[in-house]
Every structure is written in structure tokens, then in C-alpha cells.
Amino acid sequence: QKEVEQNSGPLSVPEGAIASLNCTYSDRVSQSFFWYRQYSGKSPELIMSIYSNGDKEDGRFTAQLNKASQYVSLLIRDSQPSDSATYLCAVNILKNSGGSNYKLTFGKGTLLTVNP
Amino acid sequence: GAVVSQHPSRVICKSGTSVKIECRSLDFQATTMFWYRQFPKQSLMLMATSNEGSKATYEQGVEKDKFLINHASLTLSTLTVTSAHPEDSSFYICSARAPEGKSLYNSPLHFGNGTRLTVT
């Protein structure tokens, strides 16, 4: 099983709709989870961090975490064409014992297209 | 928020020459920085972990003699691509963790703007 899995997409939604992006991970002891947005030709930009089960909202973005199911998602409400990008799920995976051996592992990303 | 500055943003060089890329943490100290490479339409690939005051740790398959990393201070890491060849053309991105109320190891990575390297 891959460590962090995302559907590659593309996911296409109309402007104003809710875009739902999903991610599963393999390491049960992971403690920190992140969503990044990457526009074509640009570097990733942090959108959300989530550490506890449940929902975390920031503006139009909501991250949802379910550690029991090893599942993290990102909802984008009122999607805008400017949200069109690749969304990367990242999970801190413990590689070896000891705090210095966490590796932030990225999924391959989901390409989101918001159609005007 | 934490800012990571990377320079240059774009470089074109001839085959066989070396290119140095700088990565700076502007408003925080980073004992560890991470270097990624991304080919077109592919995912981020971690190349190496840069450690201040000690040797870098390279991922499997990355040649340490070709990609020289120096992390001489708490705010600066450099990546030198030695004897560059066209197959080294890629998007190189550095990143660092800034403490954000959690343990450092649970803090997110902040990325520089990247360096697009083209080797002719």
C-alpha cells in the first residue's frame, strides 16, 4: 500500500460548487496532516494543517480528519476558477524511532479544475 | 507566516557546468532544510535532507557527489548541481519547517518559490 494516496483526477466542478478532495494514508501513528495547493509551474503553498480528529475550517476551506479510518479530506466551498490547481495531501510518516525521523510524505496530488 | 526564499528562480546553463541554488529561511532558523525535485506533470520527489553543521542525508538513488548540499548556517542551505546534463533539467524546490506551536517535527513545511533549471 502506498503511504499517501490521492485520486489523481482531474476533478472538475462548476464555479460555486463544493469541491471534495480525498486522501488516505497508511501509517496509523501519524499525527500531522497538511494540504498544499500547487499552481502549474509554481511551488506548493500550504493551505491547511490538521492534527486532531474532526473538522477544521478556514474561510472557504474545511479539512476533515478521521484517524480511525486513516482518512483526511479537503472541502472547498464556493469554488472559484482561481482554485484550479493541483492539491497535495501530505502526512508526517514515522520512518524510524525517534522524533527526528519523521518524513513529510506527499501524495501525487489531485488536479482540480473549476469551470466558470 | 514563515518565509523561505530561494534564488535564482530560473537558470539556464550549458552542459558540463555547475549551478548553485540558495535557500534561505527569512524569519526563522532552520536546522534542517529539504530539497525536492519535480519533473513536469510529476509529483514532488525528496532528494535530500540538509542538516546544519553536518552532512546531508540523501534519498535512495540520488547521487551525493552530483548534488552537493551545504548547510553552513541556521538560515542558509545551498544545492550545487555539478556537471549538469540535460537530464538534470527540472524544477528544484527547497523547504523548511518553522515551529508553529507544535513540536517541530509536526510542523508543516514551507516551500521556497523554486528554481527552474534548464541545461542546454
Side-chain angles (χ1 to χ4, degrees), chain A residues 31-32 34 36 38 41-44 46 49 51 92 99-100 103-104 106 108, chain B residues 36 38 43-44 46 59 91 93 97 102 105-109 111-113 116:
Chain A
Q31 297 294 317
S32 48
F34 310 98
Y36 289 83
Q38 186 176 23
K42 303 294 185 182
S43 65
L46 179 69
S49 306
Y51 303 94
N92 239 357
S100 63
K103 176 179 173 181
L104 193 61
F106 287 85
K108 292 194 172 183
Chain B
Y36 288 82
Q38 188 174 38
S43 57
L44 286 170
L46 178 65
E59 295 298 302
F91 191 44
I93 318 171
R97 283 194 173 98
K102 298 283 182 181
Y105 304 111
N106 280 319
S107 296
L109 286 181
F111 288 87
N113 287 335
R116 189 160 304 283

PDB file of all heavy atoms in Angstrom, chain A residues 31-32 34 36 38 41-44 46 49 51 92 99-100 103-104 106 108, chain B residues 36 38 43-44 46 59 91 93 97 102 105-109 111-113 116:
ATOM      1  N   GLN A  31       0.607  11.910  13.109  1.00  0.00           N
ATOM      2  CA  GLN A  31      -0.003  12.904  13.995  1.00  0.00           C
ATOM      3  C   GLN A  31      -0.339  14.216  13.298  1.00  0.00           C
ATOM      4  O   GLN A  31      -1.081  15.030  13.829  1.00  0.00           O
ATOM      5  CB  GLN A  31       0.959  13.211  15.148  1.00  0.00           C
ATOM      6  CG  GLN A  31       1.252  12.017  16.047  1.00  0.00           C
ATOM      7  CD  GLN A  31       0.024  11.571  16.801  1.00  0.00           C
ATOM      8  OE1 GLN A  31      -0.731  12.389  17.321  1.00  0.00           O
ATOM      9  NE2 GLN A  31      -0.198  10.266  16.850  1.00  0.00           N
ATOM     10  N   SER A  32       0.270  14.447  12.123  1.00  0.00           N
ATOM     11  CA  SER A  32       0.076  15.748  11.495  1.00  0.00           C
ATOM     12  C   SER A  32      -0.174  15.586   9.999  1.00  0.00           C
ATOM     13  O   SER A  32       0.435  14.742   9.338  1.00  0.00           O
ATOM     14  CB  SER A  32       1.283  16.657  11.749  1.00  0.00           C
ATOM     15  OG  SER A  32       2.484  15.984  11.482  1.00  0.00           O
ATOM     16  N   PHE A  34      -1.446  17.733   6.259  1.00  0.00           N
ATOM     17  CA  PHE A  34      -1.428  19.036   5.622  1.00  0.00           C
ATOM     18  C   PHE A  34      -1.997  18.956   4.219  1.00  0.00           C
ATOM     19  O   PHE A  34      -1.888  17.935   3.537  1.00  0.00           O
ATOM     20  CB  PHE A  34       0.018  19.561   5.540  1.00  0.00           C
ATOM     21  CG  PHE A  34       0.751  19.485   6.853  1.00  0.00           C
ATOM     22  CD1 PHE A  34       1.601  18.431   7.120  1.00  0.00           C
ATOM     23  CD2 PHE A  34       0.575  20.461   7.819  1.00  0.00           C
ATOM     24  CE1 PHE A  34       2.268  18.330   8.330  1.00  0.00           C
ATOM     25  CE2 PHE A  34       1.234  20.376   9.041  1.00  0.00           C
ATOM     26  CZ  PHE A  34       2.079  19.304   9.290  1.00  0.00           C
ATOM     27  N   TYR A  36      -1.670  21.132   0.623  1.00  0.00           N
ATOM     28  CA  TYR A  36      -0.959  22.155  -0.135  1.00  0.00           C
ATOM     29  C   TYR A  36      -1.654  22.348  -1.474  1.00  0.00           C
ATOM     30  O   TYR A  36      -2.214  21.418  -2.044  1.00  0.00           O
ATOM     31  CB  TYR A  36       0.495  21.728  -0.403  1.00  0.00           C
ATOM     32  CG  TYR A  36       1.383  21.735   0.814  1.00  0.00           C
ATOM     33  CD1 TYR A  36       1.411  20.652   1.703  1.00  0.00           C
ATOM     34  CD2 TYR A  36       2.223  22.820   1.088  1.00  0.00           C
ATOM     35  CE1 TYR A  36       2.240  20.659   2.815  1.00  0.00           C
ATOM     36  CE2 TYR A  36       3.058  22.828   2.202  1.00  0.00           C
ATOM     37  CZ  TYR A  36       3.051  21.739   3.050  1.00  0.00           C
ATOM     38  OH  TYR A  36       3.874  21.746   4.156  1.00  0.00           O
ATOM     39  N   GLN A  38      -0.828  23.646  -5.383  1.00  0.00           N
ATOM     40  CA  GLN A  38       0.273  23.926  -6.291  1.00  0.00           C
ATOM     41  C   GLN A  38      -0.290  24.334  -7.649  1.00  0.00           C
ATOM     42  O   GLN A  38      -0.900  23.513  -8.349  1.00  0.00           O
ATOM     43  CB  GLN A  38       1.215  22.724  -6.439  1.00  0.00           C
ATOM     44  CG  GLN A  38       2.448  23.045  -7.265  1.00  0.00           C
ATOM     45  CD  GLN A  38       3.439  21.890  -7.337  1.00  0.00           C
ATOM     46  OE1 GLN A  38       3.093  20.725  -7.154  1.00  0.00           O
ATOM     47  NE2 GLN A  38       4.707  22.221  -7.591  1.00  0.00           N
ATOM     48  N   GLY A  41       3.556  25.171 -12.563  1.00  0.00           N
ATOM     49  CA  GLY A  41       4.818  25.895 -12.676  1.00  0.00           C
ATOM     50  C   GLY A  41       5.257  26.611 -11.418  1.00  0.00           C
ATOM     51  O   GLY A  41       6.279  27.297 -11.418  1.00  0.00           O
ATOM     52  N   LYS A  42       4.498  26.453 -10.343  1.00  0.00           N
ATOM     53  CA  LYS A  42       4.824  27.125  -9.074  1.00  0.00           C
ATOM     54  C   LYS A  42       5.126  26.093  -7.998  1.00  0.00           C
ATOM     55  O   LYS A  42       4.870  24.899  -8.165  1.00  0.00           O
ATOM     56  CB  LYS A  42       3.653  28.007  -8.627  1.00  0.00           C
ATOM     57  CG  LYS A  42       3.239  29.054  -9.645  1.00  0.00           C
ATOM     58  CD  LYS A  42       4.315  30.085  -9.840  1.00  0.00           C
ATOM     59  CE  LYS A  42       3.843  31.186 -10.769  1.00  0.00           C
ATOM     60  NZ  LYS A  42       4.921  32.193 -11.017  1.00  0.00           N
ATOM     61  N   SER A  43       5.636  26.564  -6.874  1.00  0.00           N
ATOM     62  CA  SER A  43       5.925  25.650  -5.770  1.00  0.00           C
ATOM     63  C   SER A  43       4.681  25.489  -4.894  1.00  0.00           C
ATOM     64  O   SER A  43       3.748  26.299  -4.960  1.00  0.00           O
ATOM     65  CB  SER A  43       7.099  26.181  -4.950  1.00  0.00           C
ATOM     66  OG  SER A  43       6.767  27.388  -4.321  1.00  0.00           O
ATOM     67  N   PRO A  44       4.633  24.447  -4.079  1.00  0.00           N
ATOM     68  CA  PRO A  44       3.454  24.217  -3.230  1.00  0.00           C
ATOM     69  C   PRO A  44       3.286  25.302  -2.181  1.00  0.00           C
ATOM     70  O   PRO A  44       4.257  25.849  -1.651  1.00  0.00           O
ATOM     71  CB  PRO A  44       3.764  22.866  -2.569  1.00  0.00           C
ATOM     72  CG  PRO A  44       4.761  22.219  -3.451  1.00  0.00           C
ATOM     73  CD  PRO A  44       5.589  23.344  -3.988  1.00  0.00           C
ATOM     74  N   LEU A  46       1.117  26.092   1.420  1.00  0.00           N
ATOM     75  CA  LEU A  46       0.342  25.484   2.499  1.00  0.00           C
ATOM     76  C   LEU A  46      -1.030  26.137   2.611  1.00  0.00           C
ATOM     77  O   LEU A  46      -1.146  27.353   2.678  1.00  0.00           O
ATOM     78  CB  LEU A  46       1.090  25.641   3.828  1.00  0.00           C
ATOM     79  CG  LEU A  46       0.399  25.071   5.053  1.00  0.00           C
ATOM     80  CD1 LEU A  46       0.362  23.549   4.998  1.00  0.00           C
ATOM     81  CD2 LEU A  46       1.117  25.530   6.327  1.00  0.00           C
ATOM     82  N   SER A  49      -3.462  22.913   7.925  1.00  0.00           N
ATOM     83  CA  SER A  49      -2.847  21.909   8.787  1.00  0.00           C
ATOM     84  C   SER A  49      -3.950  21.357   9.664  1.00  0.00           C
ATOM     85  O   SER A  49      -4.830  22.107  10.108  1.00  0.00           O
ATOM     86  CB  SER A  49      -1.781  22.546   9.685  1.00  0.00           C
ATOM     87  OG  SER A  49      -0.838  23.263   8.937  1.00  0.00           O
ATOM     88  N   TYR A  51      -4.505  18.366  12.963  1.00  0.00           N
ATOM     89  CA  TYR A  51      -3.803  17.450  13.861  1.00  0.00           C
ATOM     90  C   TYR A  51      -4.756  16.566  14.660  1.00  0.00           C
ATOM     91  O   TYR A  51      -4.359  15.534  15.169  1.00  0.00           O
ATOM     92  CB  TYR A  51      -2.934  18.243  14.848  1.00  0.00           C
ATOM     93  CG  TYR A  51      -1.942  19.149  14.177  1.00  0.00           C
ATOM     94  CD1 TYR A  51      -2.236  20.485  13.929  1.00  0.00           C
ATOM     95  CD2 TYR A  51      -0.684  18.678  13.785  1.00  0.00           C
ATOM     96  CE1 TYR A  51      -1.317  21.318  13.308  1.00  0.00           C
ATOM     97  CE2 TYR A  51       0.243  19.511  13.165  1.00  0.00           C
ATOM     98  CZ  TYR A  51      -0.094  20.828  12.934  1.00  0.00           C
ATOM     99  OH  TYR A  51       0.817  21.656  12.313  1.00  0.00           O
ATOM    100  N   ASN A  92       2.834  13.353   7.904  1.00  0.00           N
ATOM    101  CA  ASN A  92       4.101  13.079   8.591  1.00  0.00           C
ATOM    102  C   ASN A  92       4.150  11.596   8.937  1.00  0.00           C
ATOM    103  O   ASN A  92       3.373  11.116   9.753  1.00  0.00           O
ATOM    104  CB  ASN A  92       4.194  13.920   9.873  1.00  0.00           C
ATOM    105  CG  ASN A  92       5.393  14.820   9.870  1.00  0.00           C
ATOM    106  OD1 ASN A  92       6.204  14.812   8.953  1.00  0.00           O
ATOM    107  ND2 ASN A  92       5.520  15.600  10.915  1.00  0.00           N
ATOM    108  N   GLY A  99      12.139  11.242  17.413  1.00  0.00           N
ATOM    109  CA  GLY A  99      11.411  12.373  16.850  1.00  0.00           C
ATOM    110  C   GLY A  99      12.010  12.942  15.602  1.00  0.00           C
ATOM    111  O   GLY A  99      11.330  13.610  14.840  1.00  0.00           O
ATOM    112  N   SER A 100      13.306  12.714  15.371  1.00  0.00           N
ATOM    113  CA  SER A 100      13.927  13.342  14.211  1.00  0.00           C
ATOM    114  C   SER A 100      13.719  12.546  12.942  1.00  0.00           C
ATOM    115  O   SER A 100      14.225  12.915  11.900  1.00  0.00           O
ATOM    116  CB  SER A 100      15.423  13.518  14.468  1.00  0.00           C
ATOM    117  OG  SER A 100      16.014  12.244  14.629  1.00  0.00           O
ATOM    118  N   LYS A 103       9.145  11.902   8.291  1.00  0.00           N
ATOM    119  CA  LYS A 103       9.320  12.384   6.926  1.00  0.00           C
ATOM    120  C   LYS A 103       7.964  12.826   6.405  1.00  0.00           C
ATOM    121  O   LYS A 103       6.994  12.070   6.465  1.00  0.00           O
ATOM    122  CB  LYS A 103       9.889  11.263   6.057  1.00  0.00           C
ATOM    123  CG  LYS A 103      10.037  11.613   4.589  1.00  0.00           C
ATOM    124  CD  LYS A 103      10.634  10.435   3.841  1.00  0.00           C
ATOM    125  CE  LYS A 103      10.647  10.663   2.356  1.00  0.00           C
ATOM    126  NZ  LYS A 103      11.205   9.501   1.628  1.00  0.00           N
ATOM    127  N   LEU A 104       7.902  14.064   5.921  1.00  0.00           N
ATOM    128  CA  LEU A 104       6.653  14.532   5.347  1.00  0.00           C
ATOM    129  C   LEU A 104       6.489  13.897   3.983  1.00  0.00           C
ATOM    130  O   LEU A 104       7.287  14.144   3.081  1.00  0.00           O
ATOM    131  CB  LEU A 104       6.650  16.061   5.252  1.00  0.00           C
ATOM    132  CG  LEU A 104       5.286  16.686   4.957  1.00  0.00           C
ATOM    133  CD1 LEU A 104       4.306  16.343   6.065  1.00  0.00           C
ATOM    134  CD2 LEU A 104       5.414  18.187   4.802  1.00  0.00           C
ATOM    135  N   PHE A 106       4.289  13.068   0.622  1.00  0.00           N
ATOM    136  CA  PHE A 106       3.259  13.674  -0.214  1.00  0.00           C
ATOM    137  C   PHE A 106       2.541  12.630  -1.057  1.00  0.00           C
ATOM    138  O   PHE A 106       3.151  11.670  -1.546  1.00  0.00           O
ATOM    139  CB  PHE A 106       3.888  14.714  -1.146  1.00  0.00           C
ATOM    140  CG  PHE A 106       4.313  15.968  -0.453  1.00  0.00           C
ATOM    141  CD1 PHE A 106       5.550  16.046   0.162  1.00  0.00           C
ATOM    142  CD2 PHE A 106       3.480  17.072  -0.406  1.00  0.00           C
ATOM    143  CE1 PHE A 106       5.949  17.209   0.817  1.00  0.00           C
ATOM    144  CE2 PHE A 106       3.869  18.237   0.238  1.00  0.00           C
ATOM    145  CZ  PHE A 106       5.103  18.300   0.849  1.00  0.00           C
ATOM    146  N   LYS A 108       0.424  12.071  -4.661  1.00  0.00           N
ATOM    147  CA  LYS A 108       0.757  12.527  -6.016  1.00  0.00           C
ATOM    148  C   LYS A 108      -0.071  13.724  -6.449  1.00  0.00           C
ATOM    149  O   LYS A 108       0.204  14.334  -7.482  1.00  0.00           O
ATOM    150  CB  LYS A 108       0.593  11.380  -6.994  1.00  0.00           C
ATOM    151  CG  LYS A 108       1.636  10.286  -6.769  1.00  0.00           C
ATOM    152  CD  LYS A 108       1.711   9.321  -7.926  1.00  0.00           C
ATOM    153  CE  LYS A 108       2.889   8.373  -7.724  1.00  0.00           C
ATOM    154  NZ  LYS A 108       3.076   7.449  -8.850  1.00  0.00           N
TER     155      LYS A 108
ATOM    156  N   TYR B  36      13.724  19.266  -2.862  1.00  0.00           N
ATOM    157  CA  TYR B  36      12.854  18.450  -3.698  1.00  0.00           C
ATOM    158  C   TYR B  36      13.148  18.729  -5.164  1.00  0.00           C
ATOM    159  O   TYR B  36      13.661  19.782  -5.532  1.00  0.00           O
ATOM    160  CB  TYR B  36      11.376  18.777  -3.432  1.00  0.00           C
ATOM    161  CG  TYR B  36      10.851  18.293  -2.100  1.00  0.00           C
ATOM    162  CD1 TYR B  36      11.056  19.020  -0.944  1.00  0.00           C
ATOM    163  CD2 TYR B  36      10.127  17.099  -2.015  1.00  0.00           C
ATOM    164  CE1 TYR B  36      10.570  18.585   0.280  1.00  0.00           C
ATOM    165  CE2 TYR B  36       9.634  16.650  -0.799  1.00  0.00           C
ATOM    166  CZ  TYR B  36       9.855  17.400   0.344  1.00  0.00           C
ATOM    167  OH  TYR B  36       9.377  16.957   1.545  1.00  0.00           O
ATOM    168  N   GLN B  38      11.065  18.251  -9.043  1.00  0.00           N
ATOM    169  CA  GLN B  38       9.787  17.917  -9.652  1.00  0.00           C
ATOM    170  C   GLN B  38       9.919  18.019 -11.159  1.00  0.00           C
ATOM    171  O   GLN B  38      10.202  19.108 -11.689  1.00  0.00           O
ATOM    172  CB  GLN B  38       8.679  18.837  -9.145  1.00  0.00           C
ATOM    173  CG  GLN B  38       7.289  18.431  -9.596  1.00  0.00           C
ATOM    174  CD  GLN B  38       6.210  19.293  -8.959  1.00  0.00           C
ATOM    175  OE1 GLN B  38       6.386  20.494  -8.791  1.00  0.00           O
ATOM    176  NE2 GLN B  38       5.081  18.676  -8.611  1.00  0.00           N
ATOM    177  N   SER B  43       5.015  14.162  -9.485  1.00  0.00           N
ATOM    178  CA  SER B  43       4.902  14.585  -8.094  1.00  0.00           C
ATOM    179  C   SER B  43       6.249  15.047  -7.556  1.00  0.00           C
ATOM    180  O   SER B  43       7.295  14.815  -8.151  1.00  0.00           O
ATOM    181  CB  SER B  43       4.348  13.451  -7.248  1.00  0.00           C
ATOM    182  OG  SER B  43       5.160  12.300  -7.356  1.00  0.00           O
ATOM    183  N   LEU B  44       6.183  15.705  -6.421  1.00  0.00           N
ATOM    184  CA  LEU B  44       7.400  16.126  -5.724  1.00  0.00           C
ATOM    185  C   LEU B  44       8.214  14.906  -5.321  1.00  0.00           C
ATOM    186  O   LEU B  44       7.675  13.932  -4.817  1.00  0.00           O
ATOM    187  CB  LEU B  44       7.031  16.872  -4.445  1.00  0.00           C
ATOM    188  CG  LEU B  44       6.483  18.273  -4.555  1.00  0.00           C
ATOM    189  CD1 LEU B  44       5.965  18.707  -3.202  1.00  0.00           C
ATOM    190  CD2 LEU B  44       7.552  19.229  -5.036  1.00  0.00           C
ATOM    191  N   LEU B  46      11.496  13.980  -2.923  1.00  0.00           N
ATOM    192  CA  LEU B  46      12.512  14.416  -1.974  1.00  0.00           C
ATOM    193  C   LEU B  46      13.869  13.911  -2.431  1.00  0.00           C
ATOM    194  O   LEU B  46      14.044  12.715  -2.677  1.00  0.00           O
ATOM    195  CB  LEU B  46      12.193  13.896  -0.575  1.00  0.00           C
ATOM    196  CG  LEU B  46      13.198  14.246   0.518  1.00  0.00           C
ATOM    197  CD1 LEU B  46      13.233  15.752   0.761  1.00  0.00           C
ATOM    198  CD2 LEU B  46      12.859  13.524   1.823  1.00  0.00           C
ATOM    199  N   GLU B  59      18.315  10.736  -0.375  1.00  0.00           N
ATOM    200  CA  GLU B  59      17.353   9.671  -0.636  1.00  0.00           C
ATOM    201  C   GLU B  59      17.971   8.656  -1.596  1.00  0.00           C
ATOM    202  O   GLU B  59      18.915   8.940  -2.328  1.00  0.00           O
ATOM    203  CB  GLU B  59      16.072  10.241  -1.230  1.00  0.00           C
ATOM    204  CG  GLU B  59      15.322  11.159  -0.273  1.00  0.00           C
ATOM    205  CD  GLU B  59      14.856  10.470   0.981  1.00  0.00           C
ATOM    206  OE1 GLU B  59      14.102   9.472   0.886  1.00  0.00           O
ATOM    207  OE2 GLU B  59      15.248  10.920   2.091  1.00  0.00           O
ATOM    208  N   PHE B  91      12.586  21.243 -11.943  1.00  0.00           N
ATOM    209  CA  PHE B  91      12.170  22.288 -11.005  1.00  0.00           C
ATOM    210  C   PHE B  91      12.655  21.848  -9.628  1.00  0.00           C
ATOM    211  O   PHE B  91      12.241  20.814  -9.109  1.00  0.00           O
ATOM    212  CB  PHE B  91      10.644  22.411 -11.059  1.00  0.00           C
ATOM    213  CG  PHE B  91      10.062  23.598 -10.349  1.00  0.00           C
ATOM    214  CD1 PHE B  91      10.639  24.848 -10.471  1.00  0.00           C
ATOM    215  CD2 PHE B  91       8.911  23.482  -9.589  1.00  0.00           C
ATOM    216  CE1 PHE B  91      10.098  25.953  -9.837  1.00  0.00           C
ATOM    217  CE2 PHE B  91       8.351  24.586  -8.955  1.00  0.00           C
ATOM    218  CZ  PHE B  91       8.947  25.824  -9.077  1.00  0.00           C
ATOM    219  N   ILE B  93      13.054  22.621  -5.627  1.00  0.00           N
ATOM    220  CA  ILE B  93      12.360  23.397  -4.612  1.00  0.00           C
ATOM    221  C   ILE B  93      12.935  23.049  -3.233  1.00  0.00           C
ATOM    222  O   ILE B  93      13.076  21.862  -2.908  1.00  0.00           O
ATOM    223  CB  ILE B  93      10.845  23.095  -4.584  1.00  0.00           C
ATOM    224  CG1 ILE B  93      10.264  22.988  -6.002  1.00  0.00           C
ATOM    225  CG2 ILE B  93      10.105  24.170  -3.805  1.00  0.00           C
ATOM    226  CD1 ILE B  93       8.838  22.487  -6.041  1.00  0.00           C
ATOM    227  N   ARG B  97      10.914  23.590   7.905  1.00  0.00           N
ATOM    228  CA  ARG B  97       9.845  23.623   8.909  1.00  0.00           C
ATOM    229  C   ARG B  97      10.050  24.812   9.824  1.00  0.00           C
ATOM    230  O   ARG B  97      11.145  25.031  10.319  1.00  0.00           O
ATOM    231  CB  ARG B  97       9.869  22.350   9.759  1.00  0.00           C
ATOM    232  CG  ARG B  97       9.305  21.135   9.087  1.00  0.00           C
ATOM    233  CD  ARG B  97       9.057  20.037  10.105  1.00  0.00           C
ATOM    234  NE  ARG B  97       8.358  18.909   9.527  1.00  0.00           N
ATOM    235  CZ  ARG B  97       8.922  17.798   9.100  1.00  0.00           C
ATOM    236  NH1 ARG B  97      10.228  17.667   9.200  1.00  0.00           N
ATOM    237  NH2 ARG B  97       8.214  16.828   8.569  1.00  0.00           N
ATOM    238  N   LYS B 102       3.490  23.511  17.574  1.00  0.00           N
ATOM    239  CA  LYS B 102       3.565  22.068  17.745  1.00  0.00           C
ATOM    240  C   LYS B 102       5.044  21.701  17.860  1.00  0.00           C
ATOM    241  O   LYS B 102       5.910  22.550  17.742  1.00  0.00           O
ATOM    242  CB  LYS B 102       2.968  21.366  16.519  1.00  0.00           C
ATOM    243  CG  LYS B 102       1.493  21.662  16.297  1.00  0.00           C
ATOM    244  CD  LYS B 102       0.638  20.884  17.244  1.00  0.00           C
ATOM    245  CE  LYS B 102      -0.836  21.156  16.989  1.00  0.00           C
ATOM    246  NZ  LYS B 102      -1.687  20.407  17.929  1.00  0.00           N
ATOM    247  N   TYR B 105       8.746  18.649  14.553  1.00  0.00           N
ATOM    248  CA  TYR B 105       8.595  17.550  13.604  1.00  0.00           C
ATOM    249  C   TYR B 105       7.162  17.396  13.134  1.00  0.00           C
ATOM    250  O   TYR B 105       6.907  16.690  12.168  1.00  0.00           O
ATOM    251  CB  TYR B 105       9.120  16.264  14.219  1.00  0.00           C
ATOM    252  CG  TYR B 105      10.547  16.413  14.654  1.00  0.00           C
ATOM    253  CD1 TYR B 105      10.895  16.417  15.994  1.00  0.00           C
ATOM    254  CD2 TYR B 105      11.552  16.611  13.718  1.00  0.00           C
ATOM    255  CE1 TYR B 105      12.201  16.601  16.392  1.00  0.00           C
ATOM    256  CE2 TYR B 105      12.868  16.799  14.105  1.00  0.00           C
ATOM    257  CZ  TYR B 105      13.180  16.789  15.441  1.00  0.00           C
ATOM    258  OH  TYR B 105      14.474  16.973  15.836  1.00  0.00           O
ATOM    259  N   ASN B 106       6.218  18.020  13.823  1.00  0.00           N
ATOM    260  CA  ASN B 106       4.832  18.008  13.378  1.00  0.00           C
ATOM    261  C   ASN B 106       4.424  19.290  12.688  1.00  0.00           C
ATOM    262  O   ASN B 106       3.266  19.462  12.308  1.00  0.00           O
ATOM    263  CB  ASN B 106       3.902  17.734  14.564  1.00  0.00           C
ATOM    264  CG  ASN B 106       3.838  16.256  14.907  1.00  0.00           C
ATOM    265  OD1 ASN B 106       3.789  15.412  14.019  1.00  0.00           O
ATOM    266  ND2 ASN B 106       3.861  15.934  16.187  1.00  0.00           N
ATOM    267  N   SER B 107       5.356  20.206  12.542  1.00  0.00           N
ATOM    268  CA  SER B 107       5.047  21.466  11.876  1.00  0.00           C
ATOM    269  C   SER B 107       5.085  21.286  10.367  1.00  0.00           C
ATOM    270  O   SER B 107       5.771  20.413   9.857  1.00  0.00           O
ATOM    271  CB  SER B 107       6.055  22.544  12.299  1.00  0.00           C
ATOM    272  OG  SER B 107       5.939  22.807  13.671  1.00  0.00           O
ATOM    273  N   PRO B 108       4.348  22.116   9.632  1.00  0.00           N
ATOM    274  CA  PRO B 108       4.322  21.967   8.180  1.00  0.00           C
ATOM    275  C   PRO B 108       5.611  22.466   7.543  1.00  0.00           C
ATOM    276  O   PRO B 108       6.362  23.242   8.127  1.00  0.00           O
ATOM    277  CB  PRO B 108       3.146  22.848   7.756  1.00  0.00           C
ATOM    278  CG  PRO B 108       3.056  23.879   8.820  1.00  0.00           C
ATOM    279  CD  PRO B 108       3.461  23.188  10.096  1.00  0.00           C
ATOM    280  N   LEU B 109       5.842  22.017   6.326  1.00  0.00           N
ATOM    281  CA  LEU B 109       6.931  22.534   5.519  1.00  0.00           C
ATOM    282  C   LEU B 109       6.469  23.794   4.792  1.00  0.00           C
ATOM    283  O   LEU B 109       5.338  23.877   4.310  1.00  0.00           O
ATOM    284  CB  LEU B 109       7.361  21.512   4.471  1.00  0.00           C
ATOM    285  CG  LEU B 109       8.166  20.306   4.936  1.00  0.00           C
ATOM    286  CD1 LEU B 109       8.506  19.421   3.742  1.00  0.00           C
ATOM    287  CD2 LEU B 109       9.431  20.751   5.634  1.00  0.00           C
ATOM    288  N   PHE B 111       7.642  26.147   1.577  1.00  0.00           N
ATOM    289  CA  PHE B 111       8.461  25.996   0.387  1.00  0.00           C
ATOM    290  C   PHE B 111       8.959  27.328  -0.148  1.00  0.00           C
ATOM    291  O   PHE B 111       8.266  28.359  -0.079  1.00  0.00           O
ATOM    292  CB  PHE B 111       7.661  25.301  -0.719  1.00  0.00           C
ATOM    293  CG  PHE B 111       7.423  23.840  -0.460  1.00  0.00           C
ATOM    294  CD1 PHE B 111       6.324  23.426   0.281  1.00  0.00           C
ATOM    295  CD2 PHE B 111       8.308  22.882  -0.939  1.00  0.00           C
ATOM    296  CE1 PHE B 111       6.110  22.069   0.528  1.00  0.00           C
ATOM    297  CE2 PHE B 111       8.099  21.539  -0.702  1.00  0.00           C
ATOM    298  CZ  PHE B 111       7.003  21.129   0.034  1.00  0.00           C
ATOM    299  N   GLY B 112      10.169  27.297  -0.703  1.00  0.00           N
ATOM    300  CA  GLY B 112      10.639  28.406  -1.500  1.00  0.00           C
ATOM    301  C   GLY B 112       9.892  28.427  -2.822  1.00  0.00           C
ATOM    302  O   GLY B 112       9.091  27.532  -3.129  1.00  0.00           O
ATOM    303  N   ASN B 113      10.160  29.458  -3.623  1.00  0.00           N
ATOM    304  CA  ASN B 113       9.451  29.603  -4.896  1.00  0.00           C
ATOM    305  C   ASN B 113       9.976  28.684  -5.990  1.00  0.00           C
ATOM    306  O   ASN B 113       9.400  28.622  -7.073  1.00  0.00           O
ATOM    307  CB  ASN B 113       9.520  31.055  -5.377  1.00  0.00           C
ATOM    308  CG  ASN B 113       8.612  31.953  -4.552  1.00  0.00           C
ATOM    309  OD1 ASN B 113       7.632  31.496  -3.974  1.00  0.00           O
ATOM    310  ND2 ASN B 113       8.959  33.226  -4.490  1.00  0.00           N
ATOM    311  N   ARG B 116      13.844  26.892 -11.576  1.00  0.00           N
ATOM    312  CA  ARG B 116      13.679  26.097 -12.802  1.00  0.00           C
ATOM    313  C   ARG B 116      15.015  26.052 -13.519  1.00  0.00           C
ATOM    314  O   ARG B 116      15.511  27.075 -13.990  1.00  0.00           O
ATOM    315  CB  ARG B 116      12.612  26.702 -13.704  1.00  0.00           C
ATOM    316  CG  ARG B 116      12.265  25.784 -14.884  1.00  0.00           C
ATOM    317  CD  ARG B 116      10.917  26.108 -15.494  1.00  0.00           C
ATOM    318  NE  ARG B 116       9.823  26.073 -14.533  1.00  0.00           N
ATOM    319  CZ  ARG B 116       9.254  24.973 -14.066  1.00  0.00           C
ATOM    320  NH1 ARG B 116       9.673  23.783 -14.473  1.00  0.00           N
ATOM    321  NH2 ARG B 116       8.241  25.045 -13.215  1.00  0.00           N
TER     322      ARG B 116
END
